[in-house]
Amino acid sequence: MSQPSTAPTAPAGPRVPEAVHRRRWAVLGVLMLSLLIVVLDNSILNVAVKTIAAPAPTGIGATQSELEWSINSYTLVFAGLLFTSGLLGDRLGRKKVLLFGITVFGIGSALAALSGSPGELIAYRAVMGLGAAFVMPATLAVLMNVFERDEQPKAIGIWAGSVGLAIAIGPITGGILLEHFWWGSIFLVNVPVVLLALALMLWLVPDSRDPKPGRVDIPGVLLSVVGLVLLVYGIIRGGELASFTDVTVLAPVLGGLAVLVVFVLHERRSDHPAIDMSYFKKPAFSAAVAAIALVFFALMGVTFFSAFYLQSVRGYSALQSGLLILPLAVAQMVFAPRARLVVDRFGARAVCTVGMLLVALGLAAFALFDASTPVWVMEVVFFLQGAGMAHIMPPVTVAIMQALPREKAGSGSAINNTFRQVGGALGVAVLGSVLSSTYRSGIEGHLGGVPAALRETAGESVEATLAVAAKLGPAGKGLVAPAYTAFLDAMHVTAIASAVIGVAGAIVVALFLPGRAPQDGPSGGEGGAGTGTDAGAGTGADAAPAATATSETQASAPAR
């Protein structure tokens, strides 16, 4: 099997063209800027939910369900189109879809800034999700095609660390904007950053594509979108009604699950699936994907209600809330780029298990928070959560991306980001519904004196109750303390549910992620960090086609 003609050409020399290799770190900086814009927007929105929920002219009077949909409309379009965008990137060129995505995202941001109603905001957030669906997979796919395999874990760690940077900048930027401008400025700020990113992409980022792309699986994409929308809508509806047995809840939930089952069956039988189900036969790959979904399920739900805790219950401004979350972001920025070193020493299984347990511990701590919890305690909890995330995301991302051949980088990135976003969307929906239904149960007994026309609205959320109390004047003062108590009780229940999800994630990675790589040589060192033996399954396929895939990169590389 080892012929003289193939021995020196496959793994011996570099597979990235020299012109691209020289500017790989500059390219990574552009990719991080693109990722920064997408993540920044969501972190800003989490700080601004209280302002958007306020009546006009301060906000647009969005209900808790509408706030959830302003997040989920973005996430569902994003998650539903990730398969297609990843395949189109592999087929048409990753740079092209990156340019397209960032342009659409900028347009959607400008429109969202000018929204006059919650419905318009939800619609324009969906446009932003469309653009982000083409940005996120392309950034990781380009990264895999400009770095050699041994440098990929380091680059992915830095790439993941940029999420921490966005988390740090987002709330602070959002707080400053909300203190000096109207709420729409949190979206309008994206536009100049988008223009800068476009210019840098055109100058620095090389193009690459799969030399043998498959057809786009349109039925599969449609099935995934319909299934997710039905499922999450049903869950949110259950939170609104404080009941999960109503027919308007059960019908969409069961319908969504049925459509998703059909989606899986279709993908298994299709000769050009949107997602190759055979990848999931590798335990390490499946565990990595599950870890991403579970950690974002738990964390996104908590991020959603923590804004109300910090601002409505504790009385902090949007800017102060952003500064309080800073330790979480700092921990990610510091530890994510170095996670590969810890993985090299202890193995992905141990590192990710400890990371998941740290996240679960931080989530459980919210069950002990009250209206007078010391600030330093919150800061320690946020730091632990960030440190845990920083030791989960880079190793599992490396495990996913290095399990696939390089020419399928777009598909691999789509899988990684789809499960991340679906987990986040379901986290907001499920945990938001738990929060909403528990809060409604706790506050209902105190709404007897509220006019019937306002009673339903007053029970939706703590912000809605406080708004009704303010509208009633002196007669509404008796609602304030019960509203705080009911919210804290609801937050405690939701925090425990989130922690349980985090522990489930720790069990998954402890059972199925590979341990420390048995060899410490060049083939099993940094390049295999976080991947073990299973993740390297794609390397053989990667070796031969990589030269063809990167020839596209060479052809489009500007002279330096």
Side-chain angles (χ1 to χ4, degrees):
M1 291 179 62
S2 58
Q3 300 177 4
S5 59
T6 58
T9 57
R15 293 190 291 264
V16 176
E18 179 59 29
V20 174
H21 182 75
R22 286 199 305 268
R23 67 178 193 274
R24 64 196 184 283
W25 297 111
V27 172
L28 178 60
V30 179
L31 299 178
M32 289 172 60
L33 179 63
S34 306
L35 182 66
L36 182 73
I37 301 170
V38 174
V39 180
L40 180 78
D41 174 75
N42 282 319
S43 61
I44 288 180
L45 182 60
N46 285 324
V47 173
V49 289
K50 180 177 181 291
T51 304
I52 296 174
T58 302
I60 51 177
T63 65
Q64 178 146 331
S65 175
E66 289 168 338
L67 288 173
E68 289 180 8
W69 272 106
S70 71
I71 296 172
N72 283 329
S73 65
Y74 174 100
T75 308
L76 289 177
V77 172
F78 184 13
L81 294 178
L82 277 171
F83 296 144
T84 302
S85 65
L87 292 172
L88 287 176
D90 288 343
R91 184 185 188 95
L92 302 176
R94 289 137 194 161
K95 179 177 181 177
K96 295 182 181 66
V97 300
L98 188 57
L99 291 168
F100 170 78
I102 203 69
T103 301
V104 172
F105 187 85
I107 293 171
S109 297
L111 293 172
L114 302 176
S115 299
S117 67
E120 288 183 11
L121 177 61
I122 292 169
Y124 295 141
R125 287 279 297 163
V127 174
M128 295 172 68
L130 171 64
F134 286 85
V135 172
M136 185 78 82
T139 61
L140 193 50
V142 170
L143 182 154
M144 299 299 289
N145 279 272
V146 299
F147 283 91
E148 297 290 353
R149 187 176 178 85
D150 63 339
E151 282 191 320
Q152 287 170 1
K154 180 179 180 181
I156 287 174
I158 296 172
W159 178 87
S162 65
V163 174
L165 179 62
I167 294 174
I169 295 175
I172 296 172
T173 304
I176 293 173
L177 290 171
L178 290 172
E179 286 195 357
H180 295 88
F181 304 99
W182 95 113
W183 67 267
S185 62
I186 66 170
F187 298 113
L188 198 62
V189 72
N190 293 334
V191 176
V193 186
V194 164
L195 294 175
L196 175 61
L198 281 171
L200 292 174
M201 284 177 199
L202 290 169
W203 176 36
L204 289 170
V205 176
D207 206 357
S208 60
R209 69 186 74 185
D210 183 354
K212 296 180 180 179
R215 289 180 291 157
V216 177
D217 180 20
I218 296 177
V221 171
L222 293 177
L223 285 170
S224 67
V225 172
V226 172
L228 288 169
V229 168
L230 286 173
L231 177 62
V232 177
Y233 172 78
I235 293 169
I236 293 176
R237 181 65 176 162
E240 291 175 344
L241 299 178
S243 169
F244 289 88
T245 58
D246 189 276
V247 66
T248 61
V249 176
L250 287 176
V253 166
L254 295 178
L257 290 173
V259 172
L260 291 175
V261 169
V262 174
F263 166 73
V264 172
L265 294 175
H266 168 77
E267 295 302 292
R268 293 180 64 182
R269 296 176 182 177
S270 175
D271 59 356
H272 58 284
I275 178 173
D276 187 347
M277 292 297 172
S278 66
Y279 297 146
F280 293 93
K281 294 180 180 178
K282 303 174 184 178
F285 181 88
S286 296
V289 166
I292 287 176
L294 289 172
V295 73
F296 273 88
F297 182 103
L299 203 63
M300 286 299 292
V302 171
T303 302
F304 181 75
F305 71 66
S306 63
F308 288 99
Y309 168 69
L310 293 173
Q311 296 181 47
S312 297
V313 176
R314 300 301 299 266
Y316 294 114
S317 67
L319 177 57
Q320 290 171 329
S321 298
L323 291 171
L324 286 171
I325 300 175
L326 199 58
L328 186 148
V330 170
Q332 285 201 48
M333 286 189 293
V334 171
F335 292 119
R338 296 168 174 80
R340 75 190 193 284
L341 303 176
V342 187
V343 171
D344 285 344
R345 182 168 183 177
F346 300 105
R349 179 188 302 157
V351 173
C352 291
T353 300
V354 173
M356 291 294 296
L357 290 176
L358 279 176
V359 170
L361 179 64
L363 297 172
F366 275 89
L368 304 175
F369 285 5
D370 57 29
S372 59
T373 299
V375 171
W376 70 266
V377 174
M378 292 190 290
E379 299 300 87
V380 170
V381 168
F382 284 132
F383 186 84
L384 288 176
Q385 286 182 320
M389 288 284 290
H391 288 91
I392 298 168
M393 298 313 299
V396 297
T397 302
V398 171
I400 292 171
M401 296 304 296
Q402 291 194 343
L404 277 66
R406 184 183 299 210
E407 69 272 15
K408 299 297 182 184
S411 300
S413 181
I415 294 170
N416 176 73
N417 289 294
T418 295
F419 279 85
R420 172 177 170 165
Q421 294 303 319
V422 169
L426 292 177
V428 170
V430 173
L431 297 178
S433 296
V434 171
L435 181 74
S436 177
S437 58
T438 308
Y439 177 80
R440 184 184 291 274
S441 298
I443 197 65
E444 273 181 343
H446 301 276
L447 300 179
V450 177
L454 298 175
R455 197 170 300 159
E456 181 69 20
T457 301
E460 287 185 352
S461 66
V462 62
E463 198 60 36
T465 305
L466 295 176
V468 169
K471 185 180 295 185
L472 294 176
K477 288 183 178 180
L479 287 176
V480 176
Y484 289 157
T485 301
F487 177 82
L488 287 172
D489 290 342
M491 185 182 77
H492 294 162
V493 172
T494 309
I496 292 171
S498 303
V500 170
I501 297 299
V503 172
I507 294 172
V508 168
V509 298
L511 290 176
F512 299 110
L513 272 190
R516 184 178 180 183
Q519 69 271 26
D520 294 322
S523 61
E526 194 175 27
T531 64
T533 54
D534 284 305
T539 56
D542 183 41
T548 309
T550 54
S551 65
E552 299 283 350
T553 309
Q554 177 70 66
S556 61
R560 302 286 291 167

